Each structure stands twice: as C-alpha cells, then as structure tokens.
Amino acid sequence: MTDPSSLPSPRPPAPGSEPAVQASAAPTATTVEDFRRNLAAVRARIDAAAHAADRNPAEIRLLPVSKTVPEERLRAAHAAGITQMGENKVQEAKRKATNLADLGIHWALIGHLQTNKAKDVAAFADEFQALDSLRLAEALDRRLQAAGRGLDVYVQVNSSGEASKFGLEPDAVADFLAALPVYSSLRVRGLMTLAAHTDDAERVRECFRIMRTLRDAGLQAGTVGDGQLSMGMSGDFELAIAGGSTCVRVGQAIFGARPTPDSLYWPTNGA
C-alpha cells in the first residue's frame, strides 16, 4: 500500500467544477443489477475525484454504509460485489453479522460506542472507526484479549468543532495516539471524521485539512499506523478525496434514501 504521507498535496478544483456539498441519494437498490449500477456510478465519481486530485483511485477504499438496510437487500448487495459494510448501531450490526454470517462480510462499526457494548464489538466486528476515549480503548482491549482477537481501529476526531459531533478535539489527538500502544489488541490504522454539515465547501475542506495535518503528525511520530484517513460520505466524498481521504463511507448513493432521519444514527454528543 502506498504510504499516504507520500501523496501529493491535492490541487484545488477549477472554479465552477467543485461538487456541491449536499445529500446524494441514489434510487433505492433492491436487485443485484440495481446495486451494480449504483456501485458503478459511485466508483466513477471516486475515480474522477481521484484523477482531479492527481491521486490513484486504487488508494481510496469504498466502505458501503448499510445502516437501516434490511438483510434481504444486503444479500443482493453482496451478490453485486459488496463485501464490506459499515454500520452505526451495535445492535443492528450484531444482528446482521449473525444472520449474514454465511456471506463472510467484513463488518465495520462506524458509530459512537458506549463502553458497555465493547463485548459485542469484540465478538464480531472487523474494524471500529469511532474510538474517542481511553476508557473505551481499555474496555475493547480487555474484551478482545479475552476473545483472542485483534481489531483495526480509527481514532475519531471532531474536526468541525460542532458540539453535536463525537470525537476528540484536534489538540488532544497527539497525546491520545501516544497512549494507545498499551492496548495491544487494538491495531491503530488512522483517523476518522465527519465534516461539518453545511453547504459551505470551504468549511468542509478545512475539516479535511485539519485531519490531514493530524495524520501527517501521527505518521512522523509513529503513532497512527499506516495513516489511513476515513472521511467523506455520500454528499462530500469528492471534497474528501481532494483532501487526502483513503476511505470514503458511502450509504445513500449506493443503497438509496433511508427511511429514517440521520439524527437517529448520528445522535447528539451526550445523548
């Protein structure tokens, strides 16, 4: 894998060419062909964004976000080639992992986690992208050690400064990363963020600039694994790719609009 620190600095898009920062839901996919069509459209967007930023599209991982999608549709998605799925809620992810165990799906938990759910995550998840406290790190490590497993983790950062978002404040990231090696079952892969929820593209780009700076500092200190950057969702992943993302988390552009509001799956901080 290419060292993310060696990637060229992204060039700004030409005036008038930058994508809108907005919801980007595809028609609801139910059949294998539906999923193939939506996947092809998303991958074409990823390729175009990567080329515009002088990057190799192969360096950008697509993580389809399957929250709220029923299991029968996920079987069709798998048949269309989706082998990794991201979920926000532990209970939903655990149920799907159990009922779809025959498919061998790679499950990524990308939502906020309470310490009392660490046992569930340690039992089924392949990666966890929302690590934001040492108390949670300790709980996960203890459960993973008991299960004889390791877990890929991303440290979540509140790059937007919005009170509604979970994640570490940027100035706390370096010390937090430095404290993680004691939890030997956690394999730190990089950093994750949700950018500001706004139509202001410059504000979104600033969130991604903050993340790249933090990642580069972590690589220099040797505390951030191979320096992956999980950032960008259906409405802003082109901007995230221009900002250096190596993993985009895309749901509605693949599966279609959700029947429930995002607020159910991205609770306010402290809720």
Side-chain angles (χ1 to χ4, degrees):
M1 182 180 292
T2 301
D3 182 352
S5 66
S6 67
L7 297 174
S9 296
R11 66 188 182 196
S17 67
E18 64 191 52
V21 182
Q22 58 187 6
S24 184
T28 299
T30 57
T31 68
V32 174
E33 286 306 312
D34 289 341
F35 280 109
R36 286 177 177 157
R37 181 181 61 250
N38 289 354
L39 274 173
V42 169
R43 286 177 174 145
R45 289 172 61 188
I46 290 172
D47 288 355
H51 290 309
D54 289 331
R55 296 185 58 193
N56 181 352
E59 297 169 341
I60 301 160
R61 170 189 169 203
L62 171 61
L63 176 59
V65 177
S66 51
K67 64 185 183 184
T68 78
V69 181
E71 292 161 16
E72 61 270 20
R73 288 176 59 206
L74 295 187
R75 287 189 175 275
H78 181 269
I82 294 177
T83 58
Q84 304 178 44
M85 297 185 187
E87 291 281 337
N88 281 71
K89 288 186 175 291
V90 180
Q91 299 94 322
E92 181 179 352
K94 182 181 179 182
R95 170 177 54 80
K96 290 176 176 177
T98 299
N99 294 341
L100 301 175
D102 57 302
L103 300 182
I105 292 168
H106 173 106
W107 294 100
L109 188 69
I110 60 175
H112 179 69
L113 181 67
Q114 296 177 330
T115 55
N116 63 357
K117 300 294 185 182
K119 181 178 180 180
D120 290 335
V121 173
F124 77 87
D126 296 289
E127 67 179 290
F128 175 53
Q129 290 203 7
L131 183 62
D132 62 359
S133 77
L134 292 179
R135 183 168 173 248
L136 179 56
E138 191 278 331
L140 284 169
D141 184 63
R142 184 174 69 252
R143 295 297 189 178
L144 289 161
Q145 296 282 359
R149 299 185 67 225
L151 182 68
D152 288 345
V153 298
Y154 290 63
V155 171
Q156 184 173 359
V157 182
N158 184 354
S159 60
S160 69
E162 294 170 315
S164 61
K165 297 277 183 22
F166 287 100
L168 297 171
E169 294 302 314
D171 61 6
V173 171
D175 288 345
F176 185 82
L177 288 170
L180 289 179
V182 68
Y183 307 111
S184 59
S185 65
L186 303 182
R187 298 184 294 262
V188 179
R189 296 296 310 281
L191 306 176
M192 180 273 249
T193 199
L194 285 77
H197 185 65
T198 176
D199 291 331
D200 183 348
E202 182 54 36
R203 188 175 174 209
V204 172
R205 280 195 292 266
E206 177 60 20
C207 292
F208 299 146
R209 280 193 289 266
I210 288 169
M211 294 299 293
R212 186 172 179 133
T213 297
L214 291 171
R215 189 279 311 278
D216 290 351
L219 282 173
Q220 192 167 32
T223 56
V224 75
D226 51 357
Q228 300 300 299
L229 280 177
S230 176
M231 54 191 199
M233 300 188 292
S234 288
D236 63 7
F237 71 76
E238 282 103 340
L239 290 178
I241 290 169
S245 178
T246 63
C247 174
V248 293
R249 309 180 305 273
V250 180
Q252 295 188 81
I254 294 172
F255 295 96
R258 299 189 188 99
T260 52
D262 272 353
S263 59
L264 178 66
Y265 281 79
W266 297 110
T268 57
N269 196 346

